Amino acid sequence: ELDHHPASDDDVNYDDEAFSSSSTIAAVPSSLLETTSDDESPTTTTTTTSQVVTVHSSLAAGPIDYARGWAWQQNLLNQRLNQRRSQGDNDDSNNNNNNNNVDVDTILILEHEPVYTLGRGANENHLTSLCEDGKNRLARSCRGPGSARLSMDKLDPELLTMSSSMEQSVEHLLLSNNMANITPVMLELPNNNNNNDTAVEEVPIYRIDRGGEVTHHGPGQLVVYPLLDLRRAPLEQDLHWYLRQIEQVVIDTLHDYDIATVRDDSNTGVWFGPSKVAAVGVSSSRWITTHGFALNVSPNLQYFDTSYILPCGIEGRGVTSMEEIMRNRGETTIPTLEEVATTALTKMEAVFGIDIEQN
């Protein structure tokens, strides 16, 4: 797969469902990882007395289009990579205090409008209700104009510097030639929105640059995208470690709501009994992480119906949410996305040993 990757030469992508979840990290076979040479070679971790991570949240604005959230990540990532190239790829964590520095760690908090996404190596046949033409457009071999693949070879540096605000930069990116020829496949579903009288709902589908199989994002789901440089202390330059820490953040978050969850012996993510409550899918470029986790707080679970998709490509397992778990035990007060996000950020500080500041 890496020989055909159009985005960059240094991505590391982890299959959401392919990882062993045993406590012994070394037990994860290398054949389950999509890696390239840049991220395989260890380098010295930068030492620093404190790592400050900035949080940007769009929750107050409501659900946003998936492509916009993806472009937000890409803009931040490529600004950092562009600055590193101009500085000879030197990493200086002390530059976090420099107002002109863009090579800073960030966490994006948001919720998406309804969408289905496939990881880079995902099987499009797990979209069980999709027509053959749609599956062909989502095939791993389908690239270029008319494809539904969100990926980029390189970004024009001018796109990263021509705007004074992140919002303007994302707008320029969405209107650029990189995005103009990307057209999602539309999946027609019975309308699951009680506030809309339309009989059919069209939900976009993209193939994207993360590990993992097919999943759904939508309103009521907390999506967290950490863009962290794993070469900077107190983080570790180990993507196995990083993925386990992400799982631990979710487990600790749910523990605060008296929801006992676990890792799975065969499938990455966080599980409540036989059902997945949070999905994990990550990517890394020059050890800067993208994508992250999606925690089901109160989404419409009909989007995960197996007549539409095989969630995460796993047969015989279900998907649940905090709301479903809490209502099944008689609770009527369900936390908001904002409340769960606040809890999750507190857990990220503890698990990763970082300081988080709100933007």
Side-chain angles (χ1 to χ4, degrees):
E1 290 295 315
L2 290 173
D3 291 337
H4 303 286
H5 182 211
S8 67
D9 292 333
D10 50 15
D11 279 2
V12 177
N13 298 284
Y14 285 81
D15 282 345
D16 184 9
E17 287 71 48
F19 271 43
S20 163
S21 293
S22 66
S23 59
T24 305
I25 294 295
V28 180
S30 60
S31 60
L32 297 181
L33 313 183
E34 297 181 5
T35 64
T36 59
S37 57
D38 279 6
D39 277 354
E40 287 179 34
S41 302
T43 61
T44 302
T45 300
T46 304
T47 58
T48 180
T49 57
S50 178
Q51 184 62 23
V52 177
V53 179
T54 302
V55 173
H56 297 273
S57 174
S58 70
L59 290 180
I64 67 172
D65 178 74
Y66 184 83
R68 180 174 297 275
W70 182 84
W72 195 4
Q73 290 187 82
Q74 292 298 314
N75 188 280
L76 289 170
L77 171 65
N78 282 277
Q79 281 189 347
R80 298 181 71 172
L81 296 178
N82 193 48
Q83 178 171 300
R84 289 187 179 188
R85 293 184 186 103
S86 68
Q87 297 176 348
D89 202 27
N90 292 323
D91 170 44
D92 183 359
S93 295
N94 294 325
N95 281 342
N96 281 356
N97 297 321
N98 183 345
N99 291 332
N100 295 321
N101 180 48
V102 297
D103 191 6
V104 294
D105 286 344
T106 305
I107 298 173
L108 304 182
I109 306 288
L110 45 83
E111 68 176 325
H112 285 301
E113 296 174 355
V115 67
Y116 292 106
T117 66
L118 296 89
R120 184 188 302 171
N123 186 343
E124 60 273 9
N125 288 319
H126 291 156
L127 290 156
T128 51
S129 65
L130 191 62
C131 66
E132 286 303 312
D133 179 65
K135 291 179 181 179
N136 290 337
R137 287 188 53 218
L138 287 162
R140 285 173 284 183
S141 59
C142 184
R143 303 175 185 276
S147 75
R149 181 185 297 269
L150 283 174
S151 62
M152 298 181 187
D153 290 317
K154 290 183 179 180
L155 286 182
D156 184 345
E158 290 188 4
L159 285 174
L160 306 176
T161 59
M162 65 191 304
S163 301
S164 58
S165 71
M166 179 57 61
E167 183 177 352
Q168 290 177 334
S169 296
V170 170
E171 288 295 335
H172 283 300
L173 179 54
L174 289 170
L175 296 173
S176 70
N177 290 333
N178 293 92
M179 302 288 289
N181 294 322
I182 298 172
T183 306
V185 172
M186 304 303 292
L187 179 63
E188 290 191 353
L189 303 177
N191 196 325
N192 293 314
N193 186 350
N194 294 329
N195 297 321
N196 193 318
D197 294 331
T198 306
V200 175
E201 177 185 14
E202 289 191 330
V203 181
I205 312 172
Y206 294 100
R207 185 178 287 276
I208 60 172
D209 52 350
R210 62 157 172 81
E213 289 288 338
V214 60
T215 194
H216 167 74
H217 298 303
Q221 186 185 70
L222 179 66
V223 177
V224 179
Y225 294 141
L227 285 85
L228 306 178
D229 185 348
L230 299 184
R231 297 182 298 179
R232 294 177 175 172
L235 307 180
E236 296 186 16
Q237 191 174 327
D238 183 339
L239 278 146
H240 300 81
W241 170 88
Y242 173 69
L243 187 136
R244 298 296 174 230
Q245 299 299 86
I246 288 290
E247 290 176 332
Q248 193 62 50
V249 166
V250 177
I251 290 170
D252 291 351
T253 297
L254 292 170
H255 181 268
D256 272 23
Y257 298 95
D258 296 322
I259 299 175
T261 54
V262 296
R263 295 180 175 90
D264 183 270
D265 289 339
S266 303
N267 306 293
T268 295
V270 176
W271 300 78
F272 179 80
S275 299
K276 179 175 280 192
V277 69
V280 179
V282 303
S283 183
S284 169
S285 293
R286 297 189 184 275
W287 295 102
I288 300 172
T289 62
T290 51
H291 300 284
F293 69 88
L295 172 57
N296 294 334
V297 178
S298 56
N300 186 337
L301 294 177
Q302 292 183 32
Y303 286 104
F304 294 97
D305 193 295
T306 54
S307 64
Y308 308 151
I309 66 169
L310 184 60
C312 302
I314 305 173
E315 295 185 1
R317 306 292 293 271
V319 176
T320 189
S321 67
M322 293 178 65
E323 179 180 31
E324 183 175 67
I325 295 167
M326 297 172 79
R327 291 198 186 282
N328 284 345
R329 65 191 188 195
E331 298 183 38
T332 58
T333 302
I334 309 302
T336 65
L337 288 185
E338 289 81 359
E339 290 169 340
V340 178
T342 298
T343 303
L345 290 173
T346 300
K347 301 308 178 183
M348 290 193 77
E349 284 188 312
V351 169
F352 286 103
I354 56 178
D355 295 325
I356 291 177
E357 63 179 23
Q358 298 283 342
N359 187 304

